Amino acid sequence: MFAPLASSRTAGSALIESLLALVVFSVGLLSLLMLLTSALKQSDNARYRSEASFLASDLIGQMWSGDRTLQSLRQRFDSASDTYQRWLVRVQSTLPGVTADRNQPELKIDDSRNITLTLHWQSPSDTEQHQLVVVTRLTD
């Protein structure tokens, strides 16, 4: 009398255990996919930060290699100058989200030849804007 009752209670436990195992496996797989997505996003961010650093170093290097007087610097690296425009084209082709009306670089040269260069970019998948600020002082 007790034997059939015990076997009917255990008959569904294998199904419940396999469903539970499937749920645990699915949660683990989703967690792995989320981790992979996050790693890819961080890898892209690191790449763009590296590109921005290279572009900033290139422009600062051009400033160091020529006439470093205040008047010359302001003239050669004015936003309308050929040197700056060639560099800007490289920035727009390298960093995402940099267009003629969005995320433009900011270059400031003060009277003491302190240079502040700010680069902005934004990936299509990002909700926030990223930036790199480089500050240096040119001396003779």
Side-chain angles (χ1 to χ4, degrees):
M1 176 181 231
F2 291 110
L5 185 61
S7 66
S8 66
R9 284 185 182 170
T10 60
S13 68
L15 180 61
I16 291 174
E17 286 177 2
S18 34
L19 285 175
L20 186 61
L22 186 61
V23 167
V24 169
F25 177 75
S26 298
V27 167
L29 188 61
L30 284 174
S31 298
L32 269 173
L33 289 174
M34 287 174 40
L35 181 66
L36 179 63
T37 303
S38 175
L40 288 173
K41 186 176 179 180
Q42 292 303 322
S43 174
D44 279 346
N45 286 340
R47 182 184 69 167
Y48 293 134
R49 187 163 301 283
S50 174
E51 293 283 352
S53 177
F54 176 75
L55 289 164
S57 294
D58 181 47
L59 188 66
I60 300 294
Q62 290 179 42
M63 291 178 176
W64 273 103
S65 67
D67 183 6
R68 293 189 296 268
T69 62
L70 182 60
Q71 180 181 357
S72 175
L73 286 171
R74 287 185 173 164
Q75 183 180 17
R76 288 184 343 180
F77 297 99
D78 180 63
S79 62
S81 71
D82 288 339
T83 304
Y84 183 82
Q85 287 300 313
R86 281 192 304 271
W87 178 80
L88 182 59
V89 167
R90 289 183 45 220
V91 170
Q92 290 172 338
S93 66
T94 304
L95 296 177
V98 179
T99 61
D101 58 340
R102 287 187 51 234
N103 298 324
Q104 285 291 303
E106 299 168 21
L107 177 62
K108 296 176 186 165
I109 305 171
D110 71 11
D111 293 339
S112 299
R113 293 185 293 175
N114 293 315
I115 312 295
T116 304
L117 176 60
T118 307
L119 291 168
H120 306 275
W121 68 93
Q122 184 172 2
S123 298
S125 61
D126 280 343
T127 56
E128 62 185 46
Q129 179 189 62
H130 301 277
Q131 74 176 12
L132 173 74
V133 180
V134 176
V135 178
T136 190
R137 181 172 186 186
L138 297 180
T139 58
D140 291 329

